[in-house]
Amino acid sequence: MYIVGVFYSLLVLVSANYESYKVYSVIPANRTHIELLGLLLSTDKLDFWSRLSYDSRSVDIMVPPQEQRDFIMYLKKHDIQYEVLIDNLETVIQREHVKQQLIPRTFRGKISFSKYNTFNDINAYLYQLQMDYHNLVKLQNIGTTYEKRGMVVIQISSNPSANNPIIFIDGGIHAREWIAPAQVLYIINQLVENPANRDLLDDVDWHILPVANPDGYEYSQTINHRMWRKTRSQQAKNCMGTDANRNFEFYWGLSGASSNPCADTYKGPKPFSEVETQNLRDYLLKIKKNAKLYLTFHSYGNLILYPWGYTSELPHDEFELRTLAKEVNDAIVKAGGPSYTIGSSTNVLYAAAGGSDDWAKGVAGIELSYTIELPGGKKNGFDIPANEILKVVNQTFAGMIVYGKYISVKYKDTWRFPEK
Ligand SMILES: *[C@@H]1O[C@H](CO)[C@@H](O)[C@H](O)[C@H]1NC(C)=O
Ligand SMILES: *[C@@H]1O[C@H](CO)[C@@H](O)[C@H](O)[C@H]1NC(C)=O
Ligand SMILES: [Zn+2]
């Protein structure tokens, strides 16, 4: 194991992809600064690790060596403050990779929360749950990816014939956001394997897609492509992938999405160009009558966001969306977690159209729709270090209990009678 690790490290030193890449933490002082940084979003040279926001919080931007001089000049010219968050990204990625290798392999069918699991390990766990808990768990293959991987939804229900309201959750639509599938897996683990949470299944069914972009997720696990975000479909001659979270057909391309196939926020050649977003769309449309809450996990930034992402106008039920988000945040904070910033996407962040949350609400009619941006790794790289996963996912789960209870209470009295 150790020998293999060393040999591998030697190999990748030759082809180091992120050598001398830097990550800058940029601190806009006012609206003008934010607009000036917004202009940089459309370039395919820079990579925004966190989302540009209006509350003057810092934004982390990865810059390749050949762009660093111009980038710094731009910041200085406009008097925008910054600091170097990561001096040489390659070092950070190598370190993360070696740590991943040193953690022993889990047995097939078991899941770990002290490392980031591979796509195969995740699926093996889902199949094991189906075998061990066949009264609670049913797996549904909702289609295959561009590279022909299966996309598996786990349906958790203690009474499938009760026509219960459904909470739908996905994670990992952006490949490199590894904490998102980890979070979603913990939710699955707690709902299925922890009897103390059984009451969360009494009046609600949970349908969960742990890895919404399997091709990208696997690709980001290869050390030279750690920062991969998009799908893996062939777009231009030298550029692969579409930003799946800009690919949904609801004011598609209106704002915050790139038309450049090489950019990290490429919206795709047309709405739902990606088979992965098609599969997710078709499944949500199938369950939309009962689906009452849509949650999509991302990283990073400690944000609980609700629609709209394409406009700063607020949805008609903004009060409910905000109040529920506040209760979720209170529960997370009470469990020892960080405090999340709450708001409609476009009031907190720079606008971005084509997201799954907007589509879930605007088209599928799932009124309660949230994007949760989990904590990031900062100096340790994009994701939090593996030894912090359990702490974070445990804290966030406290918020999931609030969501579950809310849906249960909201629909309890009326739900027993099928609509005519
Ligand atoms: C924004 O801040 C910068 C530097 O702090 C300053 O030079 C500029 O005048 C400010 N712009 C506005 C519109 O306040
Ligand atoms: C978090 O972890 C603690 C300690 O292991 C445990 O007692 C608690 O039930 C967990 N909470 C959740 C919400 O998973
Ligand atoms: Zn994301």
Side-chain angles (χ1 to χ4, degrees):
M1 182 75 192
Y2 179 67
I3 305 285
V4 172
V6 170
F7 182 58
Y8 194 36
S9 306
L10 287 176
L11 272 184
V12 295
L13 278 181
V14 185
S15 60
N17 241 13
Y18 300 101
E19 183 57 40
S20 302
Y21 276 57
K22 289 188 195 298
V23 180
Y24 297 93
S25 188
V26 180
I27 309 129
N30 52 41
R31 206 84 180 181
T32 315
H33 283 174
I34 293 164
E35 298 298 333
L36 285 163
L37 292 171
L39 295 175
L40 303 178
L41 278 171
S42 52
T43 160
D44 58 15
K45 308 278 190 318
L46 307 174
D47 180 350
F48 281 64
W49 277 19
S50 58
R51 290 176 65 180
L52 188 55
S53 76
Y54 288 118
D55 61 359
S56 71
R57 57 163 76 204
S58 63
V59 57
D60 301 337
I61 306 174
M62 176 177 91
V63 187
Q66 63 276 19
E67 301 296 327
Q68 286 162 7
R69 205 174 133 262
D70 287 354
F71 178 72
I72 295 301
M73 267 169 55
Y74 185 82
L75 296 183
K76 288 200 164 140
K77 180 170 156 213
H78 298 292
D79 210 8
I80 303 176
Q81 299 293 311
Y82 69 92
E83 52 193 56
V84 177
L85 185 65
I86 295 176
D87 191 51
N88 182 0
L89 183 58
E90 184 65 25
T91 315
V92 169
I93 287 176
Q94 295 277 354
R95 199 190 308 139
E96 180 189 58
H97 188 75
V98 169
K99 275 192 192 161
Q100 274 286 103
Q101 303 301 308
L102 289 178
I103 298 165
R105 268 200 69 110
T106 36
F107 290 108
R108 199 171 161 74
K110 296 270 179 246
I111 202 75
S112 166
F113 296 106
S114 49
K115 68 165 187 190
Y116 291 106
N117 298 279
T118 65
F119 182 65
N120 282 342
D121 285 346
I122 292 170
N123 277 344
Y125 177 61
L126 299 184
Y127 281 96
Q128 190 64 45
L129 288 181
Q130 181 172 245
M131 281 204 282
D132 293 348
Y133 299 89
H134 49 88
N135 295 330
L136 289 181
V137 167
K138 196 167 156 254
L139 301 187
Q140 176 103 42
N141 192 326
I142 67 164
T144 49
T145 65
Y146 185 79
E147 292 175 351
K148 303 293 175 232
R149 291 184 176 85
M151 294 171 69
V152 179
V153 166
I154 178 170
Q155 304 171 338
I156 307 167
S157 171
S158 59
N159 189 359
S161 59
N163 202 25
N164 280 329
I166 295 170
I167 294 176
F168 183 91
I169 303 177
D170 65 47
I173 201 167
H174 287 145
R176 64 195 182 188
E177 299 169 4
W178 292 356
I179 187 62
Q183 178 67 61
V184 171
L185 282 164
Y186 188 75
I187 297 170
I188 295 168
N189 167 264
Q190 287 298 302
L191 291 175
V192 176
E193 301 209 77
N194 185 352
N197 293 320
R198 208 38 53 84
D199 58 334
L200 291 170
L201 308 180
D202 282 349
D203 307 293
V204 176
D205 293 351
W206 301 70
H207 293 198
I208 305 179
L209 175 65
V211 190
N213 175 11
D215 297 349
Y217 184 70
E218 282 297 89
Y219 194 62
S220 75
Q221 305 236 336
T222 54
I223 188 166
N224 275 352
H225 307 286
R226 175 64 185 88
M227 300 324 306
W228 192 256
R229 165 184 168 97
K230 301 191 282 182
T231 60
R232 290 295 298 154
S233 55
Q234 185 80 44
Q235 295 300 337
K237 190 156 169 284
N238 293 317
C239 292
M240 311 277 284
T242 289
D243 184 340
N245 207 38
R246 301 288 184 278
N247 193 236
F248 283 73
E249 187 164 21
F250 188 68
Y251 296 95
W252 175 79
L254 185 73
S255 51
S258 176
S259 309
N260 174 356
C262 303
D264 260 326
T265 54
Y266 179 49
K267 64 189 177 179
K270 58 175 196 245
F272 289 121
S273 58
E274 304 309 285
V275 66
E276 295 83 5
T277 55
Q278 291 166 19
N279 293 339
L280 185 48
R281 169 196 67 191
D282 294 346
Y283 188 75
L284 288 173
L285 288 176
K286 211 169 70 188
I287 63 165
K288 68 180 226 168
K289 190 167 133 278
N290 286 16
K292 300 300 170 191
L293 174 64
Y294 174 77
L295 298 180
T296 180
F297 280 95
H298 287 252
S299 66
Y300 54 80
N302 304 359
L303 302 155
I304 302 178
L305 305 166
Y306 46 82
W308 305 109
Y310 77 96
T311 173
S312 53
E313 269 171 50
L314 295 173
H316 67 94
D317 51 357
E318 199 260 347
F319 179 79
E320 183 184 7
L321 284 159
R322 177 160 40 90
T323 309
L324 179 53
K326 277 186 179 156
E327 282 184 33
V328 168
N329 177 59
D330 288 350
I332 295 173
V333 170
K334 212 169 148 210
S339 182
Y340 284 66
T341 299
I342 294 165
S344 95
S345 294
T346 308
N347 285 279
V348 177
L349 304 170
Y350 223 70
S356 67
D357 51 354
D358 271 15
W359 182 88
K361 183 173 177 65
V363 179
I366 308 173
E367 294 296 350
L368 297 173
S369 174
Y370 294 91
T371 291
I372 300 184
E373 296 274 359
L374 294 164
K378 292 282 172 181
K379 283 187 188 310
N380 295 306
F382 192 91
D383 285 284
I384 59 170
N387 62 0
E388 289 175 24
I389 296 172
L390 187 57
K391 183 189 74 189
V392 168
V393 297
N394 172 295
Q395 291 163 346
T396 317
F397 188 77
M400 300 305 108
I401 297 176
V402 172
Y403 274 132
K405 297 211 159 132
Y406 183 79
I407 295 300
S408 157
V409 169
K410 184 175 173 187
Y411 295 98
K412 203 165 197 157
D413 296 327
T414 51
W415 202 263
R416 297 285 163 230
F417 310 100
E419 298 132 284
K420 279 263 145 64

